[in-house]
Amino acid sequence: MIRLENLVKDYGTVRAVDSINFEINEGEILGFLGPNGAGKSTTLKMITCYLNPTAGSISVENYNVAQHSEEIKAMIGYLPETNPLYLEMTVYDYLKYVANMRNIEGNEFEAAFKTTIKKCGLKEVVAKPIHTLSKGYKQRVGLAQAIIHNPKILILDEPTSGLDPNQIVEIRELIKELGKEKTVILSSHILQEVQALCDRIVIINKGKIVADGSQAKLTEDYSNKARLILQIDASKEDLSQISATIPSAKLVSFKPILNNFNEAIFEYTPTNDVRPDIFNYIKEKDWTLLEFHRDYISLEEVFRSLTLEGGNQ
Ligand code: ADP
Ligand code: MG
């Protein structure tokens, strides 16, 4: 439903977004992950029609940002990186102001207000000036201004940055709830955040998309190492012999566990599956196995390897 095609943004001579392509389907919660300066905010500002692309196109349903920015803005709720609050206003006055800007007035506003404060857990603070609220509550107000017009799409730029651990959990829960009824794009430089919230992850680095897929798919696609974990009654010397006999299986870890058993980890290239060879070797030696299982590398390792080299964090 949202499609970015060969999207480019230059700031003077700096190419902040470098010909990116991806699609977001209806109902998806997409994590837009990348280190600082990767181009996340710039991309989100173009989708929300706050910045014009240098080249390429963005379409939202059947509308194109170049011709139909008003229609697109009406479909999107946006929480920018710096929460755009008027601190002297009360929560009620601020939401009324935001709603009026979107031509939601009178009874229509009262109904939208009621639904919104319920969803965002703001009931107790509606009469309070925003500057008196905690950071977590301010962020709830930020989310409230983004959903007051009941948009189908929610775009959140680093929505938990600057919050304390408890507030982070609360805001994530809220985003999860909102994600049940909306398409959500959420940017973050924190892997755990997108892991906790998102169906799909797009990783951007230096203006380029370097990965796109579900967590499981990314880990599988981008890992160039697989691990085989054994619990076995063989010694370190015995196991080193496996590496000597099957050179592509490298013994990378060894530790005693219980009785005569040890835990050993072999690394190998997934395209050259050494598991049958190792299994046959063990069978021939008549060793006893308690465990024999494969492990993929973690998404954390994938993220680091995709964004660290010459990275800008
Ligand atoms: P992110 O949100 O991933 O941290 P940004 O989209 O903010 O990244 O920035 C991408 C790149 O564009 C960075 O190199 C940043 O310094 C540059 N940049 C962002 N905004 C501007 C601007 N208004 N003028 C010039 N350069 C900018
Ligand atoms: Mg940013």
Side-chain angles (χ1 to χ4, degrees):
M1 84 179 301
I2 303 174
R3 179 177 289 133
L4 280 58
E5 277 175 296
N6 303 319
L7 190 67
V8 174
K9 181 67 189 180
D10 292 337
Y11 295 111
T13 55
V14 176
R15 180 148 291 189
V17 171
D18 193 359
S19 199
I20 65 173
N21 292 280
F22 65 89
E23 283 175 26
I24 304 126
N25 301 313
E26 190 157 346
E28 229 169 12
I29 303 190
L30 181 108
F32 195 38
L33 179 67
N36 292 327
K40 302 180 296 296
S41 296
T42 303
T43 303
L44 300 184
K45 283 177 196 162
M46 290 191 280
I47 300 174
T48 50
C49 308
Y50 283 86
L51 261 185
N52 291 321
T54 303
S57 71
I58 303 172
S59 58
V60 180
E61 297 201 334
N62 297 321
Y63 298 111
N64 193 297
V65 289
Q67 287 97 37
H68 304 281
S69 67
E70 288 313 310
E71 287 86 344
I72 291 177
K73 278 183 177 173
M75 280 191 276
I76 292 180
Y78 174 39
L79 178 57
E81 206 167 11
T82 43
N83 196 348
L85 301 173
Y86 289 104
L87 297 174
E88 299 309 315
M89 287 186 177
T90 63
V91 172
Y92 178 86
D93 287 342
Y94 173 66
L95 292 177
K96 187 167 186 176
Y97 166 78
V98 171
N100 289 356
M101 300 264 283
R102 293 189 178 272
N103 298 318
I104 302 169
E105 290 169 333
N107 289 341
E108 197 192 346
F109 164 71
E110 295 301 333
F113 176 76
K114 224 172 138 185
T115 318
T116 301
I117 58 159
K118 190 162 175 232
K119 277 188 189 154
C120 296
L122 286 167
K123 258 188 184 156
E124 283 81 52
V125 300
V126 290
K128 290 192 175 170
I130 294 170
H131 71 88
T132 64
L133 303 179
S134 70
K135 241 184 151 173
Y137 268 86
K138 285 189 183 119
Q139 204 63 348
R140 287 169 188 257
V141 178
L143 284 166
Q145 67 76 31
I147 65 166
I148 189 96
H149 58 300
N150 195 21
K152 294 173 77 167
I153 301 161
L154 205 49
I155 295 189
L156 311 173
D157 197 355
E158 309 235 9
T160 64
S161 100
L163 301 182
D164 73 30
N166 293 333
Q167 295 165 341
I168 288 177
V169 171
E170 286 169 23
I171 295 297
R172 281 186 191 163
E173 286 304 314
L174 184 49
I175 294 170
K176 243 187 210 166
E177 275 307 303
L178 295 172
K180 287 182 184 162
E181 51 183 51
K182 298 186 191 300
T183 305
V184 179
I185 306 178
L186 165 137
S187 83
S188 179
H189 63 278
I190 305 162
L191 177 68
Q192 287 80 353
E193 177 133 302
V194 299
Q195 278 184 302
L197 286 171
C198 303
D199 314 316
R200 206 176 108 212
I201 301 174
V202 170
I203 303 180
I204 184 170
N205 189 44
K206 294 180 177 173
K208 289 196 162 80
I209 303 295
V210 292
D212 180 348
S214 67
Q215 297 188 27
K217 181 175 179 294
L218 291 189
T219 313
E220 230 181 292
D221 284 2
Y222 292 89
S223 60
N224 50 17
K225 282 194 188 89
R227 294 189 186 120
L228 178 66
I229 296 152
L230 305 180
Q231 291 187 354
I232 190 166
D233 64 346
S235 68
K236 192 169 181 182
E237 291 67 41
D238 288 338
L239 294 165
S240 301
Q241 278 306 308
I242 295 186
S243 286
T245 316
I246 308 161
S248 54
K250 206 170 138 225
L251 182 64
V252 294
S253 160
F254 176 89
K255 64 168 192 249
I257 42 169
L258 74 163
N259 302 330
N260 290 324
F261 285 90
N262 298 303
E263 185 174 274
I265 301 176
F266 286 90
E267 266 184 12
Y268 62 96
T269 314
T271 47
N272 176 19
D273 194 346
V274 294
R275 287 176 299 169
D277 293 343
I278 294 182
F279 182 74
N280 287 327
Y281 189 99
I282 292 168
K283 207 164 62 175
E284 227 161 75
K285 296 283 183 187
D286 207 19
W287 291 327
T288 305
L289 270 176
L290 298 181
E291 285 237 1
F292 185 94
H293 72 94
R294 179 159 85 161
D295 188 23
Y296 291 106
I297 72 164
S298 70
L299 198 52
E300 179 79 46
E301 290 169 81
V302 173
F303 178 53
R304 282 172 60 80
S305 72
L306 288 172
T307 58
L308 211 62
E309 194 199 328
N312 34 18
Q313 207 169 18

